[in-house]
Amino acid sequence: MSTVLVTGASRGIGAEFVRQYAADGWRVHALARDPGCSKVLADACRTHGERICTHAVDVTNHAAIDALAGDLAGTPIDLLLNVAGVLVANPFGQSDYERWMNSVRVNLFGPMKVSEAFVEHVAASDQRKIVTLTSVLGSIGGNAAGGMYDYRSTKAAVNAIMKSMSLDLARRRIIAVPIHPGWVRTDMGGARAEVDVATSVTGMRAVIAGLTPAQSGRFLTYQGAELPW
Ligand SMILES: NC(=O)c1ccc[n+]([C@@H]2O[C@H](COP(=O)([O-])OP(=O)(O)OC[C@H]3O[C@@H](n4cnc5c(N)ncnc54)[C@H](OP(=O)(O)O)[C@@H]3O)[C@@H](O)[C@H]2O)c1
């Protein structure tokens, strides 16, 4: 049985990853700040209870991440999915640096810390993949609209760390990619977004399943296209 660890599992894209992987027979470690408060997670646990293990972890709490990595020592994790994220989009001249720093802690340090804490679990698995949810808004080459300083900068930075991880971890045969899920109808994406969450996650699961070492470090979309940095 393959195993996936998902952060941001309480709602949106993370919750849908939990639901789809569990339905597909994977063992799922679902990390959420307060798993007991998530109706979608509770529904998934009711349907696939034996395959889903929930853990109360805030991705800004490094001690909690280390503690969970210790609890799961010896457990191979085929796929580490960094999904937790926040979006703040203050226009130029109205930056809120406290909130921006929280975005750095969640969107950038979160995936870095979780990847560092669980790298041995991934290295011990068959599939050896680390995937981080980024955004096309983190593409500097693709930025034609401006604005969104907070969100864009944290996603561009997380792209940079995923690229480095792909190079540093290649000798351990670990594949690392940042992936853009599309503009998805979630709390973050809003009701006018283009893609429903099931379509986005189905697409990303297909891309992830087909990842080859040659694709490690590429900036991919949920449909498998490559984006400019
Ligand atoms: N939706 C889109 O159109 C879109 C587009 C491009 C990229 N993305 C990226 O895709 C990922 C998922 O987005 P989404 O649309 O599913 O967002 P969402 O519906 O707003 O859900 C965000 C998730 O992140 C969790 N989270 C936030 N801060 C956290 C923290 N400190 N510790 C642990 N979990 C935390 C939330 O948990 P709580 O329930 O506890 O708040 C929630 O589970 C994000 O990284 C986002 O940047 C989304």
Side-chain angles (χ1 to χ4, degrees):
M1 188 191 289
S2 300
T3 300
V4 58
L5 182 148
V6 185
T7 71
S10 61
R11 54 195 167 95
I13 293 168
E16 181 63 11
F17 269 124
V18 171
R19 196 189 66 74
Q20 289 199 19
Y21 277 116
D24 203 19
W26 287 51
R27 174 138 192 85
V28 182
H29 290 284
L31 277 58
R33 285 194 279 203
D34 191 349
C37 283
S38 167
K39 187 182 171 319
V40 269
L41 208 46
D43 287 346
C45 288
R46 247 190 307 281
T47 314
H48 309 288
E50 73 291 355
R51 289 199 281 278
I52 301 172
C53 195
T54 61
H55 308 275
V57 175
D58 184 315
V59 298
T60 66
N61 184 340
H62 294 190
I65 294 167
D66 284 335
L68 180 61
D71 289 347
L72 295 179
T75 303
I77 293 174
D78 293 274
L79 171 61
L80 179 56
L81 263 175
N82 291 303
V83 182
V86 290
L87 186 155
V88 180
N90 289 335
F92 185 87
Q94 295 177 34
S95 294
D96 179 334
Y97 292 100
E98 287 303 315
R99 291 187 73 196
W100 197 335
M101 187 50 76
N102 182 58
S103 299
V104 170
R105 291 200 177 95
V106 176
N107 295 354
L108 177 61
F109 295 165
M112 188 72 203
K113 177 62 194 176
V114 172
S115 302
E116 288 185 315
F118 286 94
V119 68
E120 296 303 331
H121 308 66
V122 175
S125 74
D126 290 333
Q127 298 189 34
R128 300 170 185 237
K129 293 169 184 167
I130 301 178
V131 174
T132 294
L133 274 278
T134 179
S135 171
V136 68
L137 295 172
S139 169
I140 295 170
N143 183 356
M148 306 193 82
Y149 295 86
D150 171 319
Y151 190 67
R152 283 187 192 279
S153 62
T154 59
K155 292 301 189 182
V158 87
N159 286 349
I161 69 166
M162 293 310 292
K163 178 70 189 185
S164 273
M165 254 189 245
S166 74
L167 298 170
D168 291 338
L169 302 181
R171 66 190 162 78
R172 306 193 71 179
R173 293 191 290 125
I174 292 174
I175 294 172
V177 294
I179 190 163
H180 166 61
W183 182 22
V184 189
R185 285 193 289 282
T186 61
D187 292 338
M188 184 185 289
R192 290 179 26 251
E194 291 164 350
V195 188
D196 67 76
V197 70
T199 303
S200 168
V201 169
T202 301
M204 286 190 280
R205 287 182 58 234
V207 171
I208 292 166
L211 281 175
T212 63
Q215 288 175 300
S216 193
R218 301 218 178 140
F219 181 9
L220 302 173
T221 73
Y222 77 105
Q223 294 170 311
E226 196 167 345
L227 289 168
W229 297 111

